[in-house]
Amino acid sequence: MPSKRHITEFGMIAVIDRSVMMEPKALRDESLSEEILEYASGCHLYLIGHRPMTVVDPDSLSVDGDYMAARFISYEQSDDAIVECLWKQPGVAGGVEVISDWPYNVLRVVDASGRRVAKGNASLFLTYAVASAESDEQRLPVDAQFLDLQVDYVGKAYGSEGERGALARLQNHKTFQRILAELSRDAEAWVILLNSDTQTLLTSVMPWGTPGDAADLADSEHIERALSGPLTDEIIVDFTEGCLIKYFQPRYNIQLKNTFPRPTSKPLMELYSRDLNAVGFELDTRHLGVRLRSEVVAPSFYHTETYPLHSVEERRSMFDFLDDIDLLQAEPE
C-alpha cells in the first residue's frame, strides 16, 4: 500500500536574499557605517568559514583613474595560484596610493595627505574585483584558486522577540573563538551574515476522487490548515538553519547534521501542525564574489536543497511524481 499523500501538498522554501560578508575583526569595528549596521541587524543566521590566505605582490600595485591593478597570490598549493586583476575601485580617483607591508595580506589606500581611503585583506579587494565581474566566465577560475570558502559552522541568533541578530551573537561566541584559535596560520576566516526576507510556497497537486467526496473534503481541511497564515520569522530562521546545517555538514556543528528535520523538534512543531510536506532553502552568493563549499558539497555560487518533513513510511514526498502513479491507481484513504 503506498504511503499517505494528500491531494494537495505544500512545501516552504526560504530564499536567503539578505547577506553580507565580513572579516572577523570587522564585527567589532565601531566605524562601520550606519547603512551596513542597519542591513546586518536584519540578519539572524550566519556562516563561519575559512579559505587559504591571499597576499599581494607589492610591486604590482597601481592606480589609474578609478581603476586598481594588483597581482594576487594564494597560499593554496596549486600550479595556478597567481592571478592579475584590473577592476574599478570606488573612492580611488583623485591621486591615491596603495600600500601593503609584509606579509602583504592587507592593503591600505591613502590619499595625498596620508588619510586612509580604504583598508582590508588582500582577499577582500580580490573578492570585490570578482563580485564586480559581469559573468561567471569572468569570475572563474579566480574563485577556484583563491576565494572558495569552506563552511565550518552555521548558527542563528533571534531572541524571544527577534531582538537579537547574528552580528551581536558573534561578539561573544565560544565556537567562533575556537574556530579562530584552531585556524592554520596560512588560512583566513570569514563570516557571512544571512537572512531570508522572502519565502516561496511550493505546491503539488495529484487529483483523485470527485468534488465533495471524502478525499476532497479531507484535502480542503488540509489546505486550510497549511495556509492558515504566514510563518513567523522565528520559525523561518529555525528551519533555514536546520537546512543549511544538514546541507553543508559543517565540521563544528554537532546538532541537526543527521537529525534534521524531526517531528519532536520544538522549533518545528508549527510546521508539523500545519502538515507541510517539505522545507528547503536557496542561497546565491554571486554578489559576494565567493563560492561556498564544504567537505560534502562542491564549490558553487548557488546552493539549494529541499528536505521532506516526514519519513517515506509516513508520507510520500511531494516531489515523488513517478511514485504518485501508484496513488492514482489506488483507492484514496
Side-chain angles (χ1 to χ4, degrees):
M1 183 72 180
S3 57
K4 177 182 177 182
R5 187 197 192 283
H6 290 290
I7 295 174
T8 308
E9 290 285 11
F10 298 98
M12 184 65 69
I13 301 294
V15 181
I16 303 174
D17 44 10
R18 180 187 293 254
S19 58
V20 58
M21 186 169 172
M22 293 184 170
E23 304 170 63
K25 61 184 178 183
L27 299 173
R28 298 180 179 273
D29 189 349
E30 297 180 357
S31 66
L32 286 175
S33 68
E34 288 296 326
E35 182 180 7
I36 293 178
L37 288 173
E38 182 179 357
Y39 185 81
S41 67
C43 295
H44 296 285
L45 294 158
Y46 53 90
L47 306 179
I48 302 172
H50 78 277
R51 61 188 177 197
M53 182 182 292
T54 297
V55 297
V56 67
D57 176 359
D59 296 329
S60 70
L61 297 171
S62 66
V63 177
D64 184 5
D66 54 0
Y67 280 82
M68 283 182 59
R71 182 181 301 110
F72 295 96
I73 305 169
S74 174
Y75 270 67
E76 183 182 53
Q77 299 300 312
S78 68
D79 295 332
D80 300 310
I82 300 175
V83 63
E84 296 190 19
C85 284
L86 176 68
W87 71 99
K88 192 172 184 178
Q89 178 70 35
V92 301
V96 299
E97 182 182 7
V98 186
I99 303 170
S100 183
D101 301 317
W102 190 89
Y104 309 119
N105 64 322
V106 175
L107 299 181
R108 291 182 294 118
V109 182
V110 298
D111 61 20
S113 65
R115 182 182 63 87
R116 188 180 77 184
V117 176
K119 180 182 179 181
N121 281 10
S123 57
L124 182 63
F125 283 86
L126 179 56
T127 298
Y128 184 82
V130 173
S132 61
E134 296 180 354
S135 67
D136 285 353
E137 288 73 18
Q138 292 180 5
R139 294 183 182 97
L140 300 174
V142 175
D143 297 297
Q145 297 170 9
F146 291 88
L147 298 177
D148 290 345
L149 193 71
Q150 176 157 318
V151 177
D152 296 315
Y153 187 81
V154 174
K156 67 178 180 181
Y158 191 80
S160 59
E161 302 296 332
E163 71 281 1
R164 196 178 192 194
L167 190 61
R169 175 72 178 94
L170 288 166
Q171 300 295 327
N172 185 21
H173 193 290
K174 291 183 178 179
T175 302
F176 185 28
Q177 297 305 315
R178 178 188 169 192
I179 293 172
L180 294 178
E182 296 180 355
L183 193 67
S184 169
R185 293 176 62 89
D186 59 358
E188 56 186 35
W190 288 85
V191 176
I192 302 180
L193 309 182
L194 306 166
N195 206 68
S196 171
D197 295 336
T198 306
Q199 294 79 48
T200 299
L201 182 68
L202 302 179
T203 307
S204 67
V205 181
M206 291 297 295
W208 58 72
T210 58
D213 67 7
D216 181 58
L217 294 176
D219 192 55
S220 296
E221 294 177 357
H222 166 66
I223 293 174
E224 183 177 356
R225 185 165 61 250
L227 303 181
S228 58
L231 295 172
T232 66
D233 290 341
E234 185 175 12
I235 293 173
I236 294 166
V237 168
D238 283 332
F239 84 70
T240 306
E241 179 200 31
C243 288
L244 289 170
I245 291 174
K246 188 176 184 70
Y247 179 77
F248 284 110
Q249 294 285 300
R251 172 188 173 189
Y252 287 89
N253 282 99
I254 299 175
Q255 299 179 348
L256 303 180
K257 290 170 72 170
N258 301 309
T259 59
F260 177 87
R262 62 175 185 268
T264 56
S265 173
K266 186 176 180 180
L268 302 183
M269 290 180 64
E270 178 68 15
L271 299 179
Y272 285 99
S273 69
R274 297 193 186 201
D275 208 14
L276 296 184
N277 188 285
V279 291
F281 77 97
E282 291 183 8
L283 174 59
D284 192 326
T285 57
R286 286 177 178 85
H287 65 291
L288 297 176
V290 60
R291 300 189 306 182
L292 299 180
R293 62 181 174 87
S294 72
E295 294 179 354
V296 298
V297 175
S300 179
F301 288 114
Y302 180 74
H303 298 273
T304 183
E305 189 58 85
T306 305
Y307 298 104
L309 288 171
H310 310 275
S311 68
V312 293
E313 294 80 16
E314 297 171 333
R315 182 82 151 271
R316 193 177 297 276
S317 169
M318 64 187 294
F319 303 110
D320 288 343
F321 298 114
L322 293 178
D323 291 338
D324 281 333
I325 294 174
D326 296 333
L327 286 173
L328 290 172
Q329 297 173 342
E331 288 290 334
E333 295 181 3

